[in-house]
Amino acid sequence: MSRMGNKPIALDPKVKVEIKDGVATVTGPKGTLTQAIPSDISVEIAADGKEVLVKRASDARQTKMNHGLVRSLLNNMIIGVNTGFTVELDFVGVGYRAAIQGQTLTMNLGYSNPRVLEVPKNVTVTVKDQTHLVLESIDKQAVGQVAATIRSNRVPDAYHGKGVRYTGEQLSLKEGKKV
């Protein structure tokens, strides 16, 4: 059984956490994030102000699950407003490329028409070169969802490895037919 929920969250001096009416608000140098807290979970800031503690009211199954979940969400919020999250994608294949105009990402992925994606405002997309994308945000869920949506347009194929990959992702290619 995991006991992640009991682990205290280290609090950077630049980050401020407020809990009011069942809503946690985390403010830092990069922005502000909010998260609703279930009624059976309590969040406390230590007396010295250097760590956040998450506690549960009972040992019911759902309460235990919420305990670990709330702790992970708060930890990700604190990291996000302090340093942010980055995901890098590579376009591998002949003619595969990306271009960004405002919040519209246009991807040529070997289909007859380019794929167009509206990127949420809380995610910043930069195209380093035509085949390398960098996604940045203070919200870990948002940046991961946008990366997964982009990747789902052309998942790397098992035989040639062409498609949209996370930078550094290792693929095990299949051998193919032998004659």
Side-chain angles (χ1 to χ4, degrees), residues 9 17 19 24 37 41-45 52-55 70 74:
I9 304 168
V17 178
I19 288 56
I37 306 292
I41 302 295
S42 63
V43 179
E44 300 169 2
I45 299 165
V52 177
L53 303 168
V54 180
K55 298 183 179 178
V70 168
L74 285 174

Side-chain angles (χ1 to χ4, degrees), residues 50-64:
K50 292 185 179 178
E51 46 186 35
V52 177
L53 303 168
V54 180
K55 298 183 179 178
R56 63 179 182 241
S58 68
D59 284 338
R61 182 181 164 97
Q62 188 62 47
T63 305
K64 284 182 177 182

Side-chain angles (χ1 to χ4, degrees), residues 62-150:
Q62 188 62 47
T63 305
K64 284 182 177 182
M65 289 189 286
N66 286 343
H67 187 209
L69 173 69
V70 168
R71 192 250 178 226
S72 293
L73 291 174
L74 285 174
N75 189 41
N76 289 339
M77 289 167 59
I78 290 169
I79 293 169
V81 298
N82 194 19
T83 58
F85 293 99
T86 303
V87 175
E88 296 185 23
L89 297 170
D90 289 324
F91 289 68
V92 179
V94 177
Y96 289 18
R97 61 184 178 272
I100 186 88
Q101 267 188 332
Q103 289 296 104
T104 305
L105 178 66
T106 307
M107 302 171 284
N108 292 339
L109 297 170
Y111 298 116
S112 58
N113 294 319
R115 300 290 172 127
V116 179
L117 177 70
E118 285 296 321
V119 181
K121 292 190 185 298
N122 61 347
V123 178
T124 306
V125 179
T126 47
V127 179
K128 288 205 172 182
D129 57 31
Q130 293 182 341
T131 61
H132 189 76
L133 240 83
V134 178
L135 307 170
E136 295 175 302
S137 180
I138 62 172
D139 188 356
K140 186 175 185 177
Q141 190 275 333
V143 76
Q145 184 61 52
V146 171
T149 303
I150 292 170

